[in-house]
Amino acid sequence: MQKNRSNWKLRLIKLLNIILMISPFVFIWRLLYGTTERLVSEQTQYLLLLSVAALYILFGRIYDAFLLDVGRIHEIVYSQMLAAVVTDAFGFLILWMVMGSFPDFFKFILVIPLQLVFSTLWSLSAHRWYFRHFPPKRTLIIADSRTEALEFSQTGDFAKKFELVDILTTEELLEDPQEKLCGIEAIFLLRTSYAWAVMQLCAFQSITVYRLPLVSEIIASRAKSITMFYTPL
């Protein structure tokens, strides 16, 4: 019950971000569009502004703008501004079509610094709020080298976001996976053998897995996908 309440609070915090990031655009929209002969009704304007908000949510998800649990403050601000600028570009085109003439670009560009201020303030406040209300995730690191795993756990703000329970090899985990994975919320897979077996276990138990990709996997991710003989290749 407590977890559900916290999840709802987190959703409200994210909703506040959407309102803050869209409000400068709405203000400029009303400022510019109010000085021209109106070509669309008030209801249509609301629908257009809602579509702009939907675009921000879409691009925010694409650029990971709402990941408070793993994102750093500057990364969150950067992702939100990237999503906001792309959204503003689409919004500017919509405003241009609605007005029937080219909008005042220098007034419209004021949206971006306002959004930067709102994004920074939100990211600082939301980041602090999140780690006061959500404890670090109980975490395992799976690696062949314990030294490498310890070095990894001491980088950045790992200790703030994750509670390191143990460091294991794949073989040690697979000896008794039910006991070793009990209460675990996240697993980091470093360079280790049989990573696919660990990911399969985590998928069945809804455990988040973070994995360092191999160079071959990064190269393959850019390859073209085709279907041949009814099989995706």
Side-chain angles (χ1 to χ4, degrees):
M1 190 68 177
Q2 182 66 31
K3 185 176 180 180
N4 290 334
R5 284 200 296 268
S6 297
N7 287 337
W8 274 109
K9 290 178 183 177
L10 183 58
R11 291 189 180 99
L12 289 174
I13 292 293
K14 293 180 179 180
L15 177 62
L16 176 62
N17 172 260
I18 296 167
I19 294 172
L20 288 173
M21 296 298 284
I22 295 301
S23 57
F25 179 86
V26 174
F27 173 74
I28 296 296
W29 174 292
R30 304 296 288 188
L31 178 66
L32 295 178
Y33 191 66
T35 60
T36 62
E37 180 183 353
R38 302 199 170 189
L39 303 179
V40 296
S41 64
E42 196 78 13
Q43 291 79 5
T44 305
Q45 287 188 63
Y46 290 138
L47 288 175
L48 292 173
L49 291 172
L50 283 175
S51 68
V52 171
L55 282 174
Y56 174 70
I57 296 171
L58 173 64
F59 289 120
R61 289 181 176 274
I62 292 173
Y63 297 126
D64 297 329
F66 309 113
L67 293 182
L68 291 172
D69 55 342
V70 294
R72 297 182 181 180
I73 293 174
H74 69 275
E75 294 171 343
I76 296 172
V77 173
Y78 174 79
S79 299
Q80 289 182 2
M81 288 307 301
L82 191 59
V85 169
V86 177
T87 302
D88 292 340
F90 279 97
F92 184 81
L93 293 176
I94 294 173
L95 181 60
W96 187 0
M97 290 186 290
V98 169
M99 289 180 61
S101 60
F102 193 78
D104 189 337
F105 182 76
F106 293 103
K107 287 183 180 178
F108 188 84
I109 206 70
L110 292 174
V111 169
I112 295 177
L114 287 173
Q115 288 173 329
L116 178 60
V117 171
F118 287 154
S119 177
T120 303
L121 292 175
W122 181 89
S123 299
L124 288 168
S125 303
H127 204 261
R128 290 172 184 159
W129 175 88
Y130 182 88
F131 289 106
R132 281 202 306 265
H133 290 78
F134 290 85
K137 296 180 180 179
R138 290 174 54 81
T139 304
L140 287 178
I141 295 181
I142 310 299
D144 292 335
S145 170
R146 189 175 184 85
T147 303
E148 181 183 9
L150 285 172
E151 290 177 355
F152 178 81
S153 66
Q154 294 168 1
T155 57
D157 49 358
F158 182 94
K160 181 179 179 180
K161 299 174 180 179
F162 301 97
E163 177 190 347
L164 182 57
V165 176
D166 202 354
I167 298 173
L168 303 172
T169 63
T170 308
E171 290 77 10
E172 290 172 339
L173 175 64
L174 295 178
E175 286 176 3
D176 191 359
Q178 294 299 326
E179 180 182 350
K180 299 289 175 56
L181 294 178
C182 182
I184 298 299
E185 300 173 277
I187 283 183
F188 281 86
L189 287 176
L190 305 185
R191 281 181 281 273
T192 181
S193 54
Y194 303 107
W196 59 269
V198 178
M199 290 190 288
Q200 189 176 32
L201 284 171
C202 294
F204 286 131
Q205 300 193 36
S206 300
I207 298 173
T208 304
V209 178
Y210 302 97
R211 179 169 179 252
L212 293 178
L214 302 175
V215 175
S216 58
E217 293 173 337
I218 297 174
I219 296 173
S221 68
R222 306 300 300 171
K224 181 180 178 180
S225 299
I226 62 172
T227 300
M228 185 181 296
F229 308 120
Y230 306 102
T231 304
L233 301 174

